[in-house]
Amino acid sequence: MRSGFKSIETKYMEEREALFHRLRDLDRRSFLKMSAAAMGAAAASGLTPFHSFQPVSVAQGAAPAGGGKAFRFAYISDSHLYEKHINDRFVRSLLRAVEDVNNLSPQPDFVFYGGDLAQLGQAKELELGAQILKNIEVPLKMMVGEHDWYLDMGEKWRELFGAPTYSWDHKGIHFVTLLSVVERDFWTARKMTPMQRMMTVAGLDNGVQSPFMVGEEQRDWLKKDLAGYLDDTPIIIFSHSPLYKLYKKWNFWTDDADEVQAILKRFQRVVVIHGHTHQLLTNRIGDIHFHGMLATAWPWPYAPEGMPELTIEMSRPDPFNPNDGCGDGEVHVHPDGLVDKVYSLWNRTPIAVRRGHTASWGKEDVPPRPNRASY
Ligand SMILES: [Fe+2]
Ligand SMILES: [Fe+2]
């Protein structure tokens, strides 16, 4: 590894660790107490304890391709858990997201977790995440992020959550989860330890790691998986990194995105939902509609170039509020497979980026501008 070089993420990590070392442990009993207090307050007031997600009316008139029904799922991502003696704030953020989704009424059909559950892929980080996510009351679907994987190459993640690449059908939609953070082997020739490999991948702009990709093996799997579906089947793909090329220096990028998009090209309606960028992103390439979702841990700044035209950037985080810019969200799936993305910055009113915005290439249903400058 190059010595003396510190990536922006490493610098962030060090600053955060210095801060959180000063915090005392928050033990399991405190979590439960906080949780119970919030639930009690909600029951007493008849309100949900934190923000309530605003219901988004589902437009009528869209012809269902597969005879599906409108439904919604919730989305939580990028919690970057350290062991709680190092950092309890990220733990509490994930706990809050779990409470948010458990307070949705009616409950979503499922919750999707968008990757980067752990910070450094350690068994204790992943176990802590699994323990918290067990409190979700509806089915949970999991996806891998690079921070979960590169210490033991996914051994612990698979033990806890199963296969990283899979698909299923739900109410007329075909869903696919990919592992989009495959990297070429940069570690063997450099004789890196597993932790050196993990730290290198965790630093987005260190110039050592390879760009993320889906890789040939999964692309072949995807072709086979989709082979039996007609062109008018609505497809929703989950990837951790955006399945397009946004900004390579920060790995806001999937190197074989063009090849994956080519596999999806024959379908009339495809939605790709990703985490990793810790910010709101909206994009459309051909008939593929892309939605980037929030992190619970921290917001990344927007990349200095390559921003998709359909993106209306979210508000700049308030520097006096460590949780500003963080949150969770919902995805309302229309019968035709296109979606309304509802993002809930925790101290702001939830905002919807509706189906019509990407369907009209930004001409209709323009989402409200944020109440502060973007970042
Ligand atoms: Fe992340
Ligand atoms: Fe990530």
Side-chain angles (χ1 to χ4, degrees):
M1 284 177 82
R2 275 195 281 167
S3 59
F5 176 85
K6 283 185 184 172
S7 70
I8 50 168
E9 182 153 359
T10 305
K11 282 181 234 160
Y12 256 75
M13 265 164 46
E14 287 180 356
E15 281 171 21
R16 285 200 305 271
E17 278 178 58
L19 174 67
F20 296 127
H21 265 118
R22 297 200 296 272
L23 295 174
R24 301 184 63 133
D25 277 7
L26 184 64
D27 61 18
R28 178 77 187 146
R29 199 174 306 151
S30 311
F31 289 140
L32 292 173
K33 230 188 317 186
M34 186 176 101
S35 194
M39 299 293 274
S45 66
L47 297 169
T48 50
F50 303 114
H51 70 250
S52 56
F53 289 80
Q54 291 187 328
V56 175
S57 59
V58 174
Q60 299 301 312
K69 282 189 189 146
F71 64 96
R72 65 176 176 169
F73 61 90
Y75 192 93
I76 305 174
S77 196
D78 290 273
S79 301
H80 291 265
L81 298 179
Y82 293 77
E83 287 185 64
K84 62 186 181 198
H85 70 275
I86 299 173
N87 174 345
D88 73 325
R89 182 167 75 85
F90 293 174
V91 174
R92 283 185 282 129
S93 295
L94 179 56
L95 187 72
R96 164 158 185 179
V98 168
E99 289 188 338
D100 281 347
V101 300
N102 280 347
N103 277 290
L104 287 172
S105 179
Q107 280 279 279
D109 284 15
F110 59 89
V111 174
F112 193 87
Y113 189 88
D116 285 350
L117 180 61
Q119 172 61 15
L120 294 172
Q122 299 187 66
K124 284 190 174 161
E125 297 170 348
L126 290 165
E127 282 164 359
L128 179 60
Q131 186 194 0
I132 295 171
L133 292 174
K134 262 188 201 146
N135 294 301
I136 290 174
E137 288 162 11
V138 294
L140 172 69
K141 304 279 185 185
M142 293 294 294
M143 180 164 66
V144 168
E146 77 278 13
H147 286 255
D148 302 321
W149 200 257
Y150 282 92
L151 184 65
D152 63 1
M153 301 308 289
E155 197 181 321
K156 187 69 192 177
W157 196 95
R158 278 188 295 251
E159 182 194 315
L160 288 167
F161 305 117
T165 308
Y166 58 96
S167 65
W168 74 101
D169 292 306
H170 184 75
K171 294 185 178 170
I173 312 288
H174 184 58
F175 285 93
V176 177
T177 303
L178 296 173
L179 195 169
S180 68
V181 293
V182 174
E183 296 209 14
R184 284 182 201 92
D185 183 348
F186 61 83
W187 50 90
T188 305
R190 291 181 170 91
K191 296 189 168 53
M192 287 183 175
T193 64
M195 186 47 93
Q196 285 173 325
R197 176 177 61 206
M198 181 68 254
M199 294 295 284
T200 303
V201 173
L204 293 177
D205 60 344
N206 51 37
V208 173
Q209 64 184 311
S210 88
F212 296 144
M213 56 187 177
V214 170
E216 197 178 348
E217 198 181 320
Q218 274 187 105
R219 293 199 310 268
D220 287 346
W221 174 89
L222 182 62
K223 277 180 218 159
K224 286 191 196 111
D225 182 76
L226 297 174
Y229 290 89
L230 299 173
D231 297 356
D232 64 353
T233 307
I235 310 282
I236 296 184
I237 308 265
F238 295 104
S239 64
H240 181 67
S241 51
L243 277 185
Y244 59 93
K245 296 179 173 179
L246 199 164
Y247 191 61
K248 194 170 190 178
K249 283 182 186 162
W250 295 353
N251 250 343
F252 285 9
W253 185 276
T254 304
D255 217 38
D256 55 355
D258 298 349
E259 286 146 284
V260 180
Q261 287 169 22
I263 297 168
L264 301 171
K265 199 172 170 52
R266 75 177 171 91
F267 292 97
Q268 291 158 13
R269 281 174 303 278
V270 181
V271 173
V272 175
I273 296 173
H274 67 88
H276 182 61
T277 47
H278 298 206
Q279 62 198 207
L280 259 295
L281 284 165
T282 309
N283 193 13
R284 180 170 168 186
I285 298 170
D287 289 326
I288 310 176
H289 304 236
F290 298 88
H291 290 287
M293 304 292 278
L294 298 172
T296 66
W298 71 84
W300 281 120
Y302 278 108
E305 58 189 49
M307 287 300 296
E309 273 178 33
L310 290 178
T311 297
I312 292 180
E313 298 178 9
M314 65 192 214
S315 290
R316 183 189 296 276
D318 176 354
F320 298 101
N321 177 349
N323 290 316
D324 196 18
C326 300
D328 44 40
E330 274 185 74
V331 177
H332 295 238
V333 184
H334 291 254
D336 69 354
L338 297 183
V339 304
D340 298 336
K341 159 178 66 185
V342 183
Y343 65 99
S344 301
L345 291 162
W346 275 328
N347 58 336
R348 315 284 174 95
T349 306
I351 292 178
V353 179
R354 291 172 196 272
R355 166 192 185 283
H357 182 60
T358 52
S360 68
W361 293 96
K363 290 189 188 74
E364 295 164 19
D365 269 344
V366 180
R369 299 269 161 194
N371 55 1
R372 298 185 195 181
S374 64
Y375 175 68

